[in-house]
Amino acid sequence: MSDTRRRVKVYTLNEDRQWDDRGTGHVSSTFVERLKGISLLVRAESDGSLLLESKISPNTAYQKQQDTLIVWSEADNYDLALSFQEKAGCDEIWEKICQVQGKDPALDITQDPIDESEEDHFEEIPETTHLVELPPCELSRLEEIADLVTSVLSSPIRREKLALALMSEGYIKKLLGLFRVCEDLENREGLHHLYEIVRGVLFLNKAALFEIMFSDDCIMDVVGCLEYDPALVQPKRHREFLTKTAKFKEVIPITDSELRQKIHQTYRVQYIQDIILPTPSVFEENFLSTLTSFIYFNKVEIVSMLQEDEKFLTEVFAQLTDEATDSKRRELVNFVKEFCAFSQTLQPQNRDAFYKTLANLGILPALEIVMGMDDLQVRAAAIDIFSYLVEFSPSMVREFVMQEQQQTEDDVLLINVVIKQMICDSDPELGGAVQLMGLLRTLIDPENMLASSNKTEKTEFLSFFYKYCMHVLTAPLLKGTHCVLLALILELLTFCVEHHTYHIKTYIMNKDLLRRVLVLMNSKHTFLALCKLFSTLL
């Protein structure tokens, strides 16, 4: 199926309440005999394999969010989402779901079954009534409004109707206007009611309400309401932190006002979720799933917008390696690190384009320079960035270092800079050395070379590594080096013996390496590592 309207990304919510990408494919709705009902099927666009098979159950509450998302729970703690490439495709599948359940597709949530007591209650309400009747937005009615918001949280139907009512007639903005009045009057009781109201509105789990509450002219008042938790003796100072302490630094001026606004919004909403809102109970967990989605897709949009701004990124890398930018290099490298972390939210094909963009802009030669700098924080951030690149594509890194060697006459190569950083780790616990050893191990592992499109990568890279890099790795064996570091090097050599049969044995014989390491036999720190190395050789 090539119809882009039905092209979707499948997500599942993990235990950390983060959305995991399960793949891209095309969705259809069809009768599945085995499941005895109309089901949603997603087949991978790469090989046609089945990514999702989910029966449309009459008892499942589906939600449509942000025009291109359909979210639902199949079981306790198992949430699913379909992210559509086009709104038209989302609307088609949504109408099919509503048709199967006999629901109105004009609503953004299908209705859970209700028990007999609730059914009796709702029979009194005419079928034409779609909204909850809200009290007038007045100071004297705040307690009544708070009671209403709190009372609907146990019923999906009433939550939906209240959300629709709140979106009409600018009710949210009127409430936030009352918040400013209550603060001016020091009306603590009213502020406590507003805390309950705003917290309850967030728990309605409605993306359209979030768009209003998290807009530039509302979000700080929302934060202000959440400062007045009745359980606290004194209100928290979250607004003061967000406006005075948490300063937004533009390492390179961002000219796109929409991008700047999106970054500010995402930081503040993340702060609301992580810092301000209390940890939800088991009963409340699903109330914030849309908030998690809101933050997630904001991050995806930020990465995409930054990636498309080639002028901005070009300037970042130019200044990162410019000697004149010493004063803000730490900010620059931390920006790139956070940028890479955000990229983990991208779909695989977009992540591939992202890292190719970074490679074309010179991320690897830039890392080679900053890894050799004296600033420990700069070096640590550079290593973290390097780990993202190695994890994404060790072949890309290998290809770079082999090309680099052809363009220079010395051994100042990126991979040798990494080895030297491992050897010179100043941390007594050698945390950085262990991290770098793991990255080196990935780079020299033939197992992940086999998947390369370049059939000669294994032969070419290992020949390169033993000719230009192995002497840097084994140099500490000739010196009185930190014993724990020697154990790490011996462990890496053992890996080489296990996986590089020809190259490592030739190197050991030609360099008389066994005789050199035998002097370490008396060291209790390296004895076990040596025993493992020798047993592997034998």
Side-chain angles (χ1 to χ4, degrees), residues 179 183 220-221 223-225 227-228 236-244 271:
F179 164 71
E183 272 209 318
M220 294 311 292
D221 286 332
V223 171
C225 290
E227 291 178 352
Y228 290 94
K236 296 287 187 179
R237 297 180 178 273
H238 297 301
R239 285 170 294 173
E240 183 177 325
F241 174 82
L242 289 172
T243 56
K244 296 180 180 178
Y271 183 88

Side-chain angles (χ1 to χ4, degrees), residues 166-199:
L166 289 169
M167 283 185 278
S168 65
E169 301 178 4
Y171 202 88
I172 295 292
K173 291 188 177 182
K174 291 177 184 177
L175 281 171
L176 297 177
L178 290 183
F179 164 71
R180 293 189 289 272
V181 172
C182 284
E183 272 209 318
D184 290 341
L185 298 175
E186 297 184 359
N187 181 347
R188 188 57 62 90
E189 183 180 1
L191 292 168
H192 287 168
H193 289 321
L194 282 162
Y195 168 88
E196 298 291 351
I197 293 168
V198 169
R199 180 174 178 272

Side-chain angles (χ1 to χ4, degrees), residues 6 27 29 40 70 84 89-97:
R6 296 292 186 90
V27 63
S29 55
L40 298 177
I70 295 177
F84 288 76
C90 184
D91 290 342
E92 287 179 10
I93 294 299
W94 181 250
E95 288 178 8
K96 187 64 177 180
I97 291 171

Side-chain angles (χ1 to χ4, degrees), residues 351-368:
R351 197 181 311 158
D352 182 64
F354 167 79
Y355 281 110
K356 285 180 179 176
T357 298
L358 292 190
N360 292 336
L361 290 170
I363 181 68
L364 288 167
L367 286 179
E368 185 174 327

Side-chain angles (χ1 to χ4, degrees), residues 314-373:
T314 300
E315 184 63 22
V316 168
F317 286 109
Q319 291 200 23
L320 186 63
T321 55
D322 190 334
E323 293 182 2
T325 59
D326 278 348
S327 59
K328 66 173 184 177
R329 183 169 284 107
R330 188 179 297 178
E331 294 174 8
L332 284 162
V333 74
N334 281 328
F335 165 79
V336 177
K337 173 185 170 182
E338 189 170 358
F339 192 25
C340 290
F342 266 36
S343 75
Q344 302 305 101
T345 64
L346 294 174
Q347 297 177 2
Q349 66 271 24
N350 293 337
R351 197 181 311 158
D352 182 64
F354 167 79
Y355 281 110
K356 285 180 179 176
T357 298
L358 292 190
N360 292 336
L361 290 170
I363 181 68
L364 288 167
L367 286 179
E368 185 174 327
I369 293 172
V370 295
M371 273 188 185
M373 293 181 173

Side-chain angles (χ1 to χ4, degrees), residues 377-390:
Q377 291 188 32
V378 167
R379 290 211 309 261
I383 291 170
D384 287 338
I385 296 168
F386 184 66
S387 70
Y388 282 117
L389 295 168
V390 172

Side-chain angles (χ1 to χ4, degrees), residues 439-471:
L439 297 175
L440 286 170
R441 187 167 175 161
T442 299
L443 289 173
I444 63 175
D445 187 351
E447 291 299 318
N448 63 53
M449 295 180 194
L450 298 177
S452 172
S453 60
N454 181 357
K455 300 300 183 183
T456 62
E457 181 183 29
K458 178 178 177 180
T459 303
E460 288 185 358
F461 183 76
L462 291 181
S463 297
F464 159 84
F465 182 79
Y466 279 88
K467 182 176 182 180
Y468 296 103
C469 309
M470 184 58 92
H471 68 283

